[in-house]
Amino acid sequence: MRYVLMLQLVSIITLNLVMGSALFAWLQSRPTPEAPDATSDQQSLNLPQETD
């Protein structure tokens, strides 16, 4: 009986770790939303434009 309980405990912990790592990997790999227009943000903040 103790073996079955230990097996269930190890299985639950392993499943939690695998699901957590899968969630973390998905969060890291998903694309970031793009800004609509970077130049409009600069103009709305009245920042000086860089010219070379």
Side-chain angles (χ1 to χ4, degrees):
M1 185 66 178
R2 292 182 186 188
Y3 178 75
V4 174
L5 289 174
M6 188 61 72
L7 186 62
Q8 288 176 348
L9 183 62
V10 169
S11 299
I12 289 171
I13 291 172
T14 303
L15 183 63
N16 282 335
L17 289 174
V18 168
M19 293 299 288
S21 62
L23 178 65
F24 183 74
W26 174 73
L27 286 173
Q28 291 293 315
S29 66
R30 65 181 181 160
T32 57
E34 296 291 327
D37 190 10
T39 57
S40 67
D41 290 343
Q42 250 186 353
Q43 290 170 354
S44 66
L45 294 174
N46 295 326
L47 295 175
Q49 299 273 338
E50 291 183 16
T51 57
D52 291 328

